[in-house]
Amino acid sequence: MCAVSENILNLKEIYSNRSHYHQWVNNLGEVFLPGFGDSSVLKGTDLLPELPAMALSAVNFDSGFSETVMTIEGETGVAVHVLYDYDWIGTEAQINSNNKFLNDIIVNAFGATLPALAVCLRNGIREAMHNTKDIAWNPYFTMLTGENTDPDGHEIIVFVPFTADTADSKNLFDMKANSLRIIEKYLAENAYGDAVRKYLHGLVKAIFNVPDVGKQ
């Protein structure tokens, strides 16, 4: 597993203070404006300010991941959410689903490794962008991890900001949008891939001193 970087943001800390984030559009395409409350779903994206509206036009709701438009620490962009739900962790770890104690141990252990996993995914995404002719440079993106920040499990978010200069340049917008497609493809192939599963199996083996997990 990759060495943890201080550049990985803590989603739980961000979520603890509403002034640090706002979700403009959820994964269902529903719009939320500041001051209307989380329960107020607004129809019509014409109500969105320029940057959230621009970011929304790059969202792929059919990517296989939850994609939302958010402002995080003052930057507005597209958040691609990778969910490691408790059921997936338990099934992959081959832990008896009726044994909550054992499940909690491995779920918490896996959650503690999220920053290192996020670094591995970030490095892979950067390499994929570097190897893509359509991307002349590696667009800036941020990795965030959230231990138990989703009702169903842990999260890793890849966040691609859309800045004011993106609005003034079609080429820059296209590059950001293309980078999102590369991120989606990489995550689809690797977020739940062999390396992640092998690491989870290793955690189980180390914690419970059991034979190799995941081998048939």
Side-chain angles (χ1 to χ4, degrees):
M1 191 59 66
C2 302
V4 178
S5 168
E6 63 183 12
N7 295 325
I8 304 299
L9 300 183
N10 187 320
L11 196 56
K12 186 175 291 186
E13 291 180 0
I14 292 172
Y15 281 171
S16 69
N17 189 332
R18 284 305 303 265
S19 66
H20 290 181
Y21 78 99
H22 177 74
Q23 181 176 265
W24 296 93
V25 183
N26 66 13
N27 63 320
L28 300 176
E30 298 169 331
V31 176
F32 300 84
L33 295 183
F36 283 82
D38 289 338
S39 60
S40 296
V41 179
L42 305 177
K43 302 299 182 182
T45 57
D46 56 317
L47 298 172
L48 288 170
E50 181 182 29
L51 286 183
M54 178 177 56
L56 177 61
S57 66
V59 167
N60 176 13
F61 288 113
D62 298 318
S63 69
F65 299 96
S66 291
E67 296 195 16
T68 63
V69 177
M70 300 183 70
T71 295
I72 300 175
E73 301 288 15
E75 293 186 311
T76 298
V78 177
V80 183
H81 301 247
V82 179
L83 175 64
Y84 293 99
D85 67 74
Y86 303 131
D87 289 340
W88 180 85
I89 295 171
T91 299
E92 190 60 45
Q94 298 183 9
I95 300 296
N96 187 334
S97 61
N98 293 323
N99 192 323
K100 186 177 184 304
F101 176 73
L102 295 182
N103 266 296
D104 287 348
I105 290 175
I106 195 61
V107 162
N108 292 334
F110 185 75
T113 70
L114 288 178
L117 175 56
V119 172
C120 291
L121 293 176
R122 181 182 65 187
N123 293 345
I125 290 169
R126 284 176 173 171
E127 183 176 357
M129 289 180 177
H130 180 74
N131 294 332
T132 302
K133 294 180 180 179
D134 292 338
I135 303 293
W137 49 278
N138 287 355
Y140 169 73
F141 63 92
T142 303
M143 305 294 294
L144 304 95
T145 62
E147 193 173 347
N148 302 309
T149 49
D150 186 275
D152 294 321
H154 307 308
E155 291 180 280
I156 290 179
I157 288 179
V158 186
F159 180 70
V160 179
F162 283 70
T163 53
D165 57 342
T166 311
D168 298 329
S169 170
K170 183 180 185 303
N171 288 339
L172 187 54
F173 172 84
D174 289 344
M175 193 173 294
K176 293 269 190 176
N178 288 339
S179 73
L180 279 164
R181 305 295 83 84
I182 294 170
I183 288 168
E184 293 162 358
K185 183 176 186 296
Y186 182 84
L187 292 176
E189 295 173 351
N190 296 278
Y192 309 101
D194 290 343
V196 176
R197 293 167 56 246
K198 182 178 179 180
Y199 184 73
L200 177 56
H201 299 161
L203 275 180
V204 176
K205 184 177 179 181
I207 292 171
F208 301 120
N209 193 27
V210 297
D212 289 349
V213 180
K215 292 185 177 181
Q216 299 300 321

Coordinates of all heavy atoms in Angstrom, one line a residue, residues 173-206:
F173 N -12.0 23.5 -20.5 CA -13.2 22.8 -20.0 C -13.2 21.4 -20.6 O -13.4 20.4 -19.9 CB -14.5 23.5 -20.5 CG -15.7 22.7 -20.2 CD1 -16.3 22.7 -19.0 CD2 -16.2 21.8 -21.2 CE1 -17.4 21.9 -18.7 CE2 -17.3 21.0 -21.0 CZ -17.9 21.1 -19.7
D174 N -12.9 21.3 -21.9 CA -12.8 19.9 -22.5 C -11.8 19.0 -21.8 O -12.0 17.8 -21.7 CB -12.5 20.0 -24.0 CG -13.7 20.6 -24.8 OD1 -14.8 20.6 -24.3 OD2 -13.5 21.1 -25.9
M175 N -10.6 19.6 -21.5 CA -9.6 18.9 -20.8 C -10.1 18.4 -19.4 O -9.8 17.2 -19.0 CB -8.3 19.7 -20.7 CG -7.1 18.9 -20.3 SD -5.6 19.9 -20.4 CE -5.5 20.2 -22.1
K176 N -10.8 19.2 -18.7 CA -11.3 18.8 -17.4 C -12.3 17.7 -17.6 O -12.3 16.7 -16.8 CB -12.0 20.0 -16.7 CG -11.0 21.2 -16.3 CD -10.5 21.0 -14.9 CE -9.8 22.2 -14.4 NZ -9.4 22.1 -13.0
A177 N -13.2 17.9 -18.6 CA -14.2 16.8 -18.8 C -13.6 15.5 -19.2 O -14.0 14.5 -18.8 CB -15.2 17.3 -19.9
N178 N -12.6 15.6 -20.1 CA -11.9 14.4 -20.5 C -11.2 13.7 -19.3 O -11.1 12.5 -19.2 CB -10.9 14.7 -21.6 CG -11.5 15.0 -22.9 OD1 -12.7 14.7 -23.2 ND2 -10.8 15.7 -23.8
S179 N -10.6 14.6 -18.4 CA -10.0 14.0 -17.2 C -10.9 13.2 -16.4 O -10.6 12.2 -15.8 CB -9.3 15.1 -16.4 OG -10.2 15.9 -15.7
L180 N -12.2 13.7 -16.3 CA -13.2 13.0 -15.6 C -13.5 11.6 -16.2 O -13.7 10.6 -15.5 CB -14.5 13.8 -15.5 CG -14.5 14.9 -14.4 CD1 -15.7 15.8 -14.7 CD2 -14.6 14.3 -13.0
R181 N -13.5 11.5 -17.5 CA -13.7 10.2 -18.2 C -12.6 9.3 -17.9 O -12.8 8.1 -17.7 CB -13.9 10.4 -19.7 CG -15.0 11.4 -20.1 CD -16.4 11.0 -19.8 NE -16.8 11.3 -18.4 CZ -17.3 12.5 -18.0 NH1 -17.3 13.5 -18.9 NH2 -17.7 12.7 -16.8
I182 N -11.3 9.8 -17.8 CA -10.2 9.0 -17.5 C -10.3 8.5 -16.1 O -10.0 7.3 -15.8 CB -8.9 9.8 -17.7 CG1 -8.7 10.1 -19.2 CG2 -7.7 9.0 -17.2 CD1 -7.6 11.0 -19.5
I183 N -10.7 9.4 -15.2 CA -10.8 9.0 -13.8 C -11.9 7.9 -13.6 O -11.7 6.9 -12.9 CB -11.3 10.3 -12.9 CG1 -10.1 11.2 -12.8 CG2 -11.8 9.9 -11.5 CD1 -10.4 12.6 -12.3
E184 N -13.0 8.1 -14.3 CA -14.1 7.1 -14.2 C -13.6 5.7 -14.7 O -13.8 4.7 -14.1 CB -15.3 7.5 -15.1 CG -16.0 8.7 -14.6 CD -16.9 9.4 -15.6 OE1 -16.9 8.9 -16.8 OE2 -17.5 10.4 -15.3
K185 N -12.9 5.7 -15.8 CA -12.4 4.5 -16.4 C -11.4 3.8 -15.5 O -11.4 2.6 -15.2 CB -11.7 4.7 -17.8 CG -11.2 3.5 -18.5 CD -10.7 3.8 -19.9 CE -10.4 2.6 -20.7 NZ -9.3 1.8 -20.0
Y186 N -10.5 4.6 -14.9 CA -9.5 4.1 -14.0 C -10.1 3.5 -12.8 O -9.8 2.4 -12.3 CB -8.4 5.1 -13.6 CG -7.3 4.6 -12.7 CD1 -6.3 3.9 -13.3 CD2 -7.5 4.6 -11.4 CE1 -5.3 3.3 -12.5 CE2 -6.5 4.1 -10.5 CZ -5.4 3.4 -11.1 OH -4.5 2.8 -10.3
L187 N -11.0 4.2 -12.2 CA -11.7 3.7 -11.0 C -12.5 2.5 -11.2 O -12.5 1.5 -10.4 CB -12.6 4.8 -10.4 CG -11.9 6.0 -9.8 CD1 -12.9 7.1 -9.4 CD2 -11.0 5.7 -8.7
A188 N -13.2 2.4 -12.4 CA -14.0 1.2 -12.7 C -13.1 0.0 -12.8 O -13.5 -1.1 -12.4 CB -14.7 1.5 -14.1
E189 N -11.9 0.2 -13.2 CA -10.9 -1.0 -13.4 C -10.1 -1.3 -12.1 O -9.7 -2.4 -12.0 CB -10.0 -0.7 -14.5 CG -10.7 -0.6 -15.9 CD -9.7 -0.1 -17.0 OE1 -8.6 0.3 -16.7 OE2 -10.1 -0.1 -18.2
N190 N -10.0 -0.3 -11.2 CA -9.1 -0.4 -10.1 C -9.6 -0.2 -8.7 O -9.0 -0.7 -7.8 CB -7.8 0.5 -10.3 CG -7.1 0.1 -11.6 OD1 -6.2 -0.8 -11.6 ND2 -7.3 0.9 -12.7
A191 N -10.7 0.6 -8.6 CA -11.1 0.9 -7.2 C -11.5 -0.3 -6.4 O -11.4 -0.4 -5.2 CB -12.3 1.9 -7.3
Y192 N -12.0 -1.4 -7.1 CA -12.4 -2.6 -6.5 C -11.6 -3.8 -7.1 O -12.0 -4.9 -7.1 CB -13.9 -2.9 -6.6 CG -14.8 -1.8 -6.2 CD1 -15.4 -0.9 -7.2 CD2 -15.1 -1.5 -4.9 CE1 -16.2 0.2 -6.8 CE2 -15.9 -0.5 -4.5 CZ -16.4 0.4 -5.5 OH -17.2 1.4 -5.1
G193 N -10.4 -3.4 -7.7 CA -9.7 -4.4 -8.4 C -8.8 -5.3 -7.6 O -8.9 -5.4 -6.3
D194 N -8.0 -6.1 -8.3 CA -7.2 -7.1 -7.6 C -6.3 -6.6 -6.5 O -6.2 -7.2 -5.4 CB -6.4 -7.9 -8.6 CG -7.2 -8.7 -9.6 OD1 -8.4 -9.0 -9.2 OD2 -6.7 -9.1 -10.6
A195 N -5.7 -5.4 -6.7 CA -4.8 -4.9 -5.7 C -5.5 -4.6 -4.4 O -5.0 -4.8 -3.3 CB -4.0 -3.7 -6.3
V196 N -6.7 -3.9 -4.6 CA -7.5 -3.6 -3.4 C -8.0 -4.8 -2.7 O -7.9 -4.9 -1.4 CB -8.6 -2.6 -3.8 CG1 -9.5 -2.3 -2.5 CG2 -8.1 -1.4 -4.4
R197 N -8.5 -5.8 -3.4 CA -9.0 -7.0 -2.8 C -7.8 -7.8 -2.1 O -8.0 -8.3 -1.0 CB -9.7 -7.8 -3.9 CG -10.9 -7.2 -4.4 CD -11.4 -7.8 -5.7 NE -11.7 -9.3 -5.5 CZ -11.0 -10.2 -6.1 NH1 -10.0 -9.9 -7.0 NH2 -11.3 -11.5 -5.9
K198 N -6.7 -7.8 -2.8 CA -5.5 -8.5 -2.2 C -5.1 -7.9 -0.9 O -4.8 -8.5 0.1 CB -4.4 -8.5 -3.2 CG -3.1 -9.3 -2.7 CD -2.0 -9.3 -3.7 CE -0.8 -10.0 -3.2 NZ 0.3 -10.0 -4.2
Y199 N -5.2 -6.5 -0.8 CA -4.8 -5.8 0.4 C -5.8 -6.1 1.5 O -5.4 -6.4 2.7 CB -4.7 -4.3 0.2 CG -4.3 -3.6 1.4 CD1 -2.9 -3.6 1.8 CD2 -5.2 -2.9 2.2 CE1 -2.5 -3.0 2.9 CE2 -4.7 -2.2 3.3 CZ -3.4 -2.3 3.7 OH -3.0 -1.6 4.8
L200 N -7.1 -6.1 1.2 CA -8.1 -6.4 2.1 C -7.9 -7.9 2.7 O -8.0 -8.1 3.9 CB -9.5 -6.3 1.5 CG -10.7 -6.6 2.4 CD1 -10.7 -5.9 3.7 CD2 -12.0 -6.4 1.7
H201 N -7.6 -8.8 1.8 CA -7.4 -10.2 2.2 C -6.2 -10.2 3.1 O -6.2 -11.0 4.1 CB -7.1 -11.1 1.0 CG -8.3 -11.1 0.0 ND1 -8.1 -11.5 -1.3 CD2 -9.6 -10.8 0.2 CE1 -9.3 -11.5 -1.9 NE2 -10.2 -11.0 -1.0
G202 N -5.2 -9.4 2.8 CA -4.0 -9.4 3.7 C -4.3 -8.9 5.1 O -3.8 -9.3 6.1
L203 N -5.2 -7.9 5.2 CA -5.6 -7.3 6.5 C -6.3 -8.4 7.3 O -6.0 -8.6 8.5 CB -6.6 -6.2 6.3 CG -6.1 -4.8 6.0 CD1 -7.3 -3.8 5.9 CD2 -5.2 -4.3 7.2
V204 N -7.2 -9.2 6.7 CA -7.9 -10.2 7.4 C -6.9 -11.3 7.9 O -7.0 -11.7 9.0 CB -8.9 -10.9 6.4 CG1 -9.6 -12.1 7.2 CG2 -10.0 -9.9 6.0
K205 N -6.0 -11.6 7.0 CA -5.0 -12.7 7.4 C -4.1 -12.2 8.6 O -3.8 -12.9 9.5 CB -4.1 -13.0 6.2 CG -3.1 -14.1 6.5 CD -2.3 -14.4 5.2 CE -1.2 -15.5 5.5 NZ -0.4 -15.8 4.3
A206 N -3.7 -10.9 8.5 CA -2.9 -10.3 9.6 C -3.6 -10.2 10.9 O -3.1 -10.5 12.0 CB -2.3 -9.0 9.2

